[in-house]
Amino acid sequence: MSLVIGAFTIGLILSLLSMGVWISFRVLRYTDITVDGTITLGASVVAILMVNGWSPWTSILMATLAGAVAGGVTGVLHTRFKIQELLSGILVMTALYSINLRVMGRSNVPLLNVGSIAAPVARLLQGAAGEGDTLMLLGWRVPLQDVAMLLTMLVITAGVAWLIKAFLLTHLGTALRATGENAQMVRAQGINHQRMQVLGLCGANALVGLSGALLAQYQGFADVQMGIGMIVWGLASIIIGEALVGKLTPGLALTGTIMGTLLFRLLIAIALRWGLNPNDLKLVTALFVFAALVLPDRIKMLGGMLKRPGRREC
Amino acid sequence: MLTSTAGTGGKSMMLEIRGLRKTFFPDTPNEVRALQGIDLDLSEGCFAAIIGTNGSGKSTLLNAVAGSFLPDQGTVRIDGVEITRWEEYRRAQYVGRVFQNPFAGTAAGMTIAENIGLAMRRGLSRGLRPALPRQVRDAMADRVRTLGMGLENRLDNPIGTLSGGQRQALTLLMATWLKPRLLLLDEHTAALDPKSAAQVAALTREIIEREHLTALMVTHSMQQAVQLPNRIIMMHQGRIVRQYSESEMARVRVPELLAAFDRIRRREQLDPAVSDILGRQYL
């Protein structure tokens, strides 16, 4: 049971990352690799601020803003200085590695004896259940702290997802979506598509920063290596989500992205339980994304080849 | 000289182009002198068609007005405002556009309503209010109904599910949703099947007449050029070589336009080397 709770909690936290990647990759159609640096940035900012006595919420807010700035820099490199989109992300990601080390002062900052954003929920649960440090859940005895963390993340992720959905249906939000679809059309409607790209990258990376901040809180440390391959995890989650619910409307796509992340984390937890070497995790994920990107077309081609003899008859 | 400026006197000009020049890939073997000094005036309410052979610079002229690139020389004014150095998106507050490619004017994955919602704020600021509140959608349906395509019942369908003709009709409607000071049509029926092309052409005329729009249309179709506009501008090798004013338009027919093209072409058979030599000798 605690395996499931853990997988769901991490899944919810990484849903924010996936939604960020979804905004850059699917909405803006911009392959933004800044993400790998931004998630660590979010974690480092939150860790260093909390160690220095800031409140969890203010720290998280600062981490989110830091993420937005990082995304903005990538956007400006691309739009103002005409650096290729992938390269501008790589530049910022690389720079962020040093910046993250600077922020933390070392490569790993543990978060011991600091406040937790789940504390209010934990207190609430304790009041309701009143039976110490554990809680009965569907017949399983689970640590109350874990449940509190899960609920907190659920509220945050659901709230943020709702905000994004609402935003994408505003004038500005529709302009942002159209930017990824058809930049020419967007310009013809009087929208500065470059400004939209920067705005979108700010938003996307703010989400990733937030995700990193929550992840650091959950796992109790920030580490300079923690961001490697995160964009691929995000992509894998998006692809699973699209297979589950499609991508017809922003609301559906966001729901799918969250569901995809949860399922993906659950699969990983199960695979690790069954003895998958954690070192192989990123290889497996990369292979999965490769297959998911390539297979649909291959299957279509195969289907076309199988159908052809039938067509000749008529 | 055939290059001419239609002198319409003191009447207010919606579009004024002066000495516009553009050379692509200058100083390379691929150098293209696309615009070689264009002067053009369109008064308010004038609907002009630009015709010309391939590579005559007609689309380039349209794109120069739309702001797809910046000219080397010359000025462009819309309603008295000089916009020569404005970026493309900024010009959209004055200019509505329909492209040759029916897919270019709309965002395929978004719904019809969302696309129109974008056009409803062309050139205006876009805030954090919902793009499609109920009363806006009702007004939208009323206006889409005027197309007579039944699209008012499909406002929530992705626009990518529509045919090219339907998309082009919607793009036209979107370009004119807010009255543009200038409407630019870039061979907007060329990529459609004949029936849709006729439909969109009729719609074009209807909207331009109803809203008294000033419009500049590039077209390949001589038929369209004699039927739709009230002025024809003939271009060749980056220059305006002939214009048919409103009074001439009543008489002009397709064969005449073709004959005019023929004369230009015949003159060109001496050209360009010979005419250069002749020019040097006599001037």
Side-chain angles (χ1 to χ4, degrees), chain B residues 17 20 34-35 38 40 50 57-67 69 76 184 216 218 233 235 240:
Chain B
I17 300 176
L20 203 65
L35 299 177
I38 300 285
L40 180 67
I50 311 177
K58 51 194 194 303
S59 280
T60 310
L61 177 59
L62 206 72
N63 288 334
V65 176
F69 58 83
V76 180
L184 297 178
L216 197 56
V218 169
I233 298 157
M235 282 187 71
I240 294 176

Side-chain angles (χ1 to χ4, degrees), chain B residues 219-260:
Chain B
T219 182
H220 258 133
S221 156
M222 296 297 145
Q223 200 62 40
Q224 234 173 47
V226 294
Q227 281 172 353
L228 291 184
N230 35 40
R231 195 166 141 200
I232 295 179
I233 298 157
M234 196 178 269
M235 282 187 71
H236 189 68
Q237 294 194 332
R239 291 194 176 87
I240 294 176
V241 288
R242 175 90 164 84
Q243 298 204 43
Y244 294 86
S245 66
E246 199 157 359
S247 50
E248 288 173 283
M249 283 298 292
R251 287 175 282 109
V252 73
R253 297 285 175 272
V254 173
E256 272 183 71
L257 290 183
L258 292 176

Side-chain angles (χ1 to χ4, degrees), chain B residues 47 89 134 233 264:
Chain B
F47 176 13
Y89 76 89
R134 166 73 27 210
I233 298 157
I264 294 164

Side-chain angles (χ1 to χ4, degrees), chain A residues 41-298:
Chain A
L41 179 68
S44 355
V45 168
V46 101
I48 210 67
L49 289 180
M50 283 180 72
V51 164
N52 285 309
W54 290 48
S55 86
W57 288 107
T58 335
S59 314
I60 286 172
L61 185 70
M62 296 311 286
T64 310
L65 288 178
V69 171
V73 173
T74 301
V76 169
L77 286 186
H78 175 59
T79 55
R80 180 103 7 217
F81 298 104
K82 310 287 172 216
I83 297 173
Q84 287 171 23
E85 58 175 56
L86 200 54
L87 187 56
S88 49
I90 291 173
L91 288 179
V92 175
M93 179 189 72
T94 308
L96 279 177
Y97 191 86
S98 298
I99 291 172
N100 290 333
L101 280 171
R102 281 274 176 190
V103 168
M104 292 193 286
R106 52 189 182 277
S107 62
N108 187 302
V109 174
L111 282 171
L112 304 169
N113 307 317
V114 294
S116 156
I117 44 161
V121 184
R123 240 173 283 131
L124 215 68
L125 283 175
Q126 215 142 27
E131 43 184 321
D133 282 348
T134 56
L135 199 72
M136 289 301 286
L137 192 72
L138 305 170
W140 299 73
R141 185 154 288 281
V142 290
L144 185 137
Q145 277 301 332
D146 290 3
V147 180
M149 193 58 106
L150 176 68
L151 288 177
T152 310
M153 297 309 170
L154 184 66
V155 171
I156 294 177
T157 305
V160 170
W162 185 85
L163 278 178
I164 299 172
K165 187 202 157 226
F167 169 73
L168 289 175
L169 297 177
T170 63
H171 287 297
L172 198 61
T174 45
L176 186 78
R177 285 159 59 206
T179 301
E181 291 245 353
N182 186 345
Q184 173 65 78
M185 174 259 194
V186 157
R187 286 196 296 273
Q189 298 303 338
I191 301 161
N192 184 342
H193 80 284
Q194 298 190 321
R195 204 177 290 161
M196 284 296 141
Q197 279 185 324
V198 175
L199 178 78
L201 289 174
C202 280
N205 281 286
L207 286 171
V208 177
L210 173 62
S211 177
L214 296 177
L215 191 61
Q217 288 231 345
Y218 172 72
Q219 61 190 17
F221 64 88
D223 186 279
V224 76
Q225 305 278 2
M226 67 190 276
I228 296 172
M230 279 296 181
I231 186 171
V232 183
W233 286 11
L235 289 178
S237 307
I238 293 169
I239 291 167
I240 297 176
E242 283 172 356
L244 288 175
V245 295
K247 46 184 172 180
L248 217 53
T249 66
L252 275 179
L254 280 167
T255 316
T257 301
I258 296 174
M259 285 168 61
T261 318
L262 292 176
L263 186 62
F264 183 59
R265 291 315 303 185
L266 206 56
L267 290 176
I268 286 181
I270 292 168
L272 290 175
R273 198 61 178 294
W274 280 353
L276 175 73
N277 186 341
N279 291 340
D280 293 339
L281 205 53
K282 293 204 194 317
L283 173 65
V284 172
T285 313
L287 286 175
F288 169 77
V289 172
F290 168 75
L293 290 177
V294 170
L295 279 184
D297 283 349
R298 290 289 145 122

Side-chain angles (χ1 to χ4, degrees), chain B residues 2-238:
Chain B
L2 285 164
T3 310
S4 64
T5 305
T8 17
K11 208 174 161 192
S12 77
M13 286 303 155
M14 200 46 105
L15 175 67
E16 281 180 78
I17 300 176
R18 290 285 172 277
L20 203 65
R21 285 177 183 276
K22 178 71 185 178
T23 304
F24 292 108
F25 319 112
D27 306 321
T28 70
N30 298 325
E31 182 177 278
V32 179
R33 291 188 199 162
L35 299 177
Q36 305 192 48
I38 300 285
D39 294 302
L40 180 67
D41 284 314
L42 285 189
S43 56
E44 193 176 346
C46 176
F47 176 13
I50 311 177
I51 56 175
T53 45
N54 285 331
S56 59
K58 51 194 194 303
S59 280
T60 310
L61 177 59
L62 206 72
N63 288 334
V65 176
S68 306
F69 58 83
L70 295 180
D72 301 332
Q73 268 179 49
T75 57
V76 180
R77 281 168 197 277
I78 291 179
D79 205 7
V81 183
E82 185 175 337
I83 58 154
T84 317
R85 298 273 137 200
W86 284 24
E87 279 188 73
E88 198 177 359
Y89 76 89
R90 213 176 141 203
R91 299 182 192 210
Q93 57 181 295
Y94 296 150
V95 178
R97 289 169 79 182
V98 184
F99 304 92
Q100 176 173 9
N101 180 349
F103 306 138
T106 47
M110 295 169 71
T111 66
I112 297 178
E114 285 170 333
N115 271 280
I116 297 176
L118 285 169
M120 289 170 86
R121 297 199 68 77
R122 175 170 51 77
L124 303 173
S125 69
R126 288 164 204 271
L128 290 175
R129 268 190 231 139
L132 301 169
R134 166 73 27 210
Q135 66 273 22
V136 167
R137 287 183 50 101
D138 291 345
M140 205 180 265
D142 287 341
R143 201 147 158 197
V144 172
R145 195 168 291 121
T146 62
L147 294 179
M149 292 175 161
L151 297 177
E152 63 276 7
N153 303 317
R154 298 169 63 184
L155 287 181
D156 290 319
N157 291 18
I159 217 162
T161 60
L162 306 186
S163 71
Q166 289 171 324
R167 280 178 82 167
Q168 207 63 325
L170 274 174
T171 309
L172 185 61
L173 190 68
M174 283 164 58
T176 54
W177 197 280
L178 302 177
K179 186 176 175 180
R181 298 196 193 178
L182 178 66
L183 177 64
L184 297 178
L185 308 165
D186 187 5
E187 298 193 49
H188 67 307
T189 64
L192 305 178
D193 63 87
K195 197 174 155 226
S196 306
Q199 214 173 1
V200 170
L203 186 69
T204 306
R205 169 184 233 158
E206 190 186 309
I207 290 180
I208 288 176
E209 270 172 20
R210 189 175 61 222
E211 314 266 334
H212 301 289
L213 298 176
T214 314
L216 197 56
M217 170 178 81
V218 169
T219 182
H220 258 133
S221 156
M222 296 297 145
Q223 200 62 40
Q224 234 173 47
V226 294
Q227 281 172 353
L228 291 184
N230 35 40
R231 195 166 141 200
I232 295 179
I233 298 157
M234 196 178 269
M235 282 187 71
H236 189 68
Q237 294 194 332

